[in-house]
Amino acid sequence: MLDSRKISAFLALKRKELGMTQAEIADKLKVSYQAVSKWENGAAPSVEVLVELARILNVSVDTLLNGGDRITYDQTEVDLVHFADLRQKIAAQLTIGDQRVLNKPAMPTVLYDFQFPDIESPVLVMSPGWYGSKCKLAARYGYGESAGHDIVNDLVSNVLSMGARPLAVTDCIAMGEDNEDVLLSIVKGISDACKENGCSFIGGSTRIHSFTVQKGAYEICANVVGVAPKGGLLDGSAIRKGDVILAVASNGPHTTGYTLLGILLEKMPLIKKEMVAGETFLEQIMKPHASYYKALSPLLGREDVHGMTHIICHYGLESHMDEIIPEGLCAEIDLSKVRLLPIFRHIKKNGEYF
């Protein structure tokens, strides 16, 4: 049973805490101020205005109807009504028009038609990933959109290196607080990166985890699914003695080494404003992971391409080469010929001091 007296008292209390008059509440709700006065004197608000009234008072409908007595999601700083509205805005960023996607936007599961008559023996190539230390810096310094690009470009590079073209991306975002601007900037980054890589953003999951994720922080996971002909997989088995290694440059640290960079920023906070090749140190290290798909996808299917690897610096060059070079062969690389980007020189120079 609802206690109208508690509801009335709670409504009046919250209105006064916000420094609003009954007339101001009435104006926002497009009702008479007499109606608001009656609500504060024992009459229950009508169902039609409950959601908007709760939003004006900055509480949930549940809290309002319980007169503020019960433990509700308000006390976890999660507004379920607002979050429900956000789902529709997120759904608007999903790819529309991909005939392989059989489900409606925002459904909890994704249905994807896996028929490829133009590909002989199609193989699914999947790459899951979690966005860690750089994600922490992205949250701190306001690079949400870049964060969305980062995880998509990183994982697309993984499936590309196996000879696959990316098909679809699903994501999972966990946030420490309900921040619409930040959330939508991340989702926009993911959506835009999918368009740039010729794949579809088909769904995901977003949660406000105020109990487990620090306020102001967020974590991003994603999964990219690609497809390749079984006979065209670039697993390195076709590599032969005498093959030439070609390298494609990065545009910076991409998404690895950011535990080190985070410590560097803590130990030397002024470094973020230092200029490196015409940009601040912070701008340099927060550049999104480069997208290689458009540049390298024309090579897929060529008989003279025997292997490809996406170098992630914390595993090391040697480790990545060992993964694809057949037993009995080795790679010869003259590191003195590598043109090191200025940002890496700057990191190395300053990293010696801590």
Side-chain angles (χ1 to χ4, degrees):
M1 290 289 291
L2 297 178
D3 189 328
S4 60
R5 289 176 298 177
K6 283 186 177 181
I7 295 174
S8 298
F10 181 67
L11 196 161
L13 175 65
K14 295 301 295 183
R15 175 181 62 77
K16 292 172 183 177
E17 285 180 355
L18 294 171
M20 300 180 71
T21 66
Q22 291 179 346
E24 287 173 330
I25 295 286
D27 184 59
K28 289 179 178 293
L29 292 173
K30 295 181 172 54
V31 299
S32 68
Y33 78 88
Q34 290 94 340
V36 179
S37 178
K38 289 180 180 179
W39 298 340
E40 293 187 5
N41 284 282
S46 64
V47 174
E48 290 77 10
V49 300
L50 269 177
V51 173
E52 188 59 28
L53 177 59
R55 182 173 297 172
I56 292 170
L57 297 176
N58 198 27
V59 298
S60 70
V61 173
D62 187 38
T63 296
L64 179 58
L65 292 179
N66 286 297
D69 274 356
R70 293 186 191 175
I71 296 175
T72 69
Y73 264 97
D74 276 359
Q75 295 170 44
T76 68
E77 299 184 3
V78 178
D79 186 338
L80 296 179
V81 175
H82 178 238
F83 195 66
D85 290 341
L86 267 180
R87 290 184 62 193
Q88 299 305 314
K89 294 181 180 179
I90 295 171
Q93 292 288 346
L94 300 180
T95 302
I96 304 298
D98 186 339
Q99 299 301 311
R100 294 187 180 278
V101 180
L102 304 181
N103 58 287
K104 295 179 181 179
M107 286 182 65
T109 55
V110 176
L111 306 176
Y112 199 81
D113 184 3
F114 190 66
Q115 297 183 60
F116 296 91
D118 56 326
I119 299 179
E120 185 176 353
S121 301
V123 175
L124 276 181
V125 181
M126 295 173 281
S127 182
W130 172 71
Y131 193 45
S133 299
K134 189 178 180 182
C135 197
K136 183 177 180 179
L137 297 181
R140 180 183 302 168
Y141 296 112
Y143 283 84
E145 192 168 328
S146 294
H149 282 266
D150 267 320
I151 196 161
V152 173
N153 290 345
D154 182 21
L155 299 182
V156 166
S157 297
N158 288 344
V159 299
L160 171 67
S161 68
M162 287 300 297
R165 61 181 176 90
L167 296 173
V169 172
T170 58
D171 75 319
C172 180
I173 304 171
M175 304 184 69
E177 63 179 332
D178 183 354
N179 188 317
E180 178 175 339
D181 291 340
V182 171
L183 176 57
L184 293 182
S185 70
I186 297 169
V187 173
K188 183 179 185 302
I190 294 173
S191 178
D192 288 348
C194 287
K195 293 172 186 174
E196 293 167 9
N197 285 290
C199 56
S200 296
F201 179 28
I202 60 175
S205 175
T206 302
R207 295 289 183 269
I208 307 300
H209 284 194
S210 57
F211 189 66
T212 54
V213 180
Q214 186 177 5
K215 187 174 183 178
Y218 52 78
E219 297 178 359
I220 309 173
C221 302
N223 186 63
V224 173
V225 180
V227 65
K230 192 171 184 178
L233 292 172
L234 297 178
D235 57 4
S237 59
I239 292 175
R240 298 290 182 265
K241 182 178 179 180
D243 283 354
V244 176
I245 298 173
L246 299 176
V248 181
S250 72
N251 64 347
H254 283 180
T255 59
T256 54
Y258 282 82
T259 299
L260 171 69
L261 290 173
I263 295 173
L264 181 58
L265 286 167
E266 288 178 2
K267 299 287 186 179
M268 305 175 66
L270 296 180
I271 195 174
K272 63 178 177 287
K273 296 183 179 181
E274 292 181 8
M275 299 304 294
V276 182
E279 296 178 300
T280 66
F281 180 84
L282 185 63
E283 289 170 337
Q284 284 278 1
I285 66 171
M286 296 309 295
K287 288 180 179 178
H289 189 302
S291 175
Y292 294 113
Y293 185 69
K294 283 186 178 179
L296 299 182
S297 58
L299 300 178
L300 299 181
R302 287 181 48 156
E303 293 184 0
D304 54 352
V305 178
H306 296 165
M308 192 183 298
T309 183
H310 177 213
I311 304 296
I312 303 173
C313 60
H314 64 248
Y315 290 141
L317 179 62
E318 183 177 346
S319 174
H320 282 282
M321 300 301 288
D322 285 345
E323 289 175 358
I324 65 166
I325 295 178
E327 190 174 350
L329 296 178
C330 63
E332 183 177 336
I333 300 174
D334 185 353
L335 294 179
S336 67
K337 299 290 180 65
V338 176
R339 295 194 292 269
L340 205 61
L341 291 175
I343 185 59
F344 291 118
R345 296 186 187 278
H346 204 74
I347 292 169
K348 182 179 180 181
K349 180 184 73 173
N350 287 281
E352 295 174 354
Y353 296 105
F354 69 93

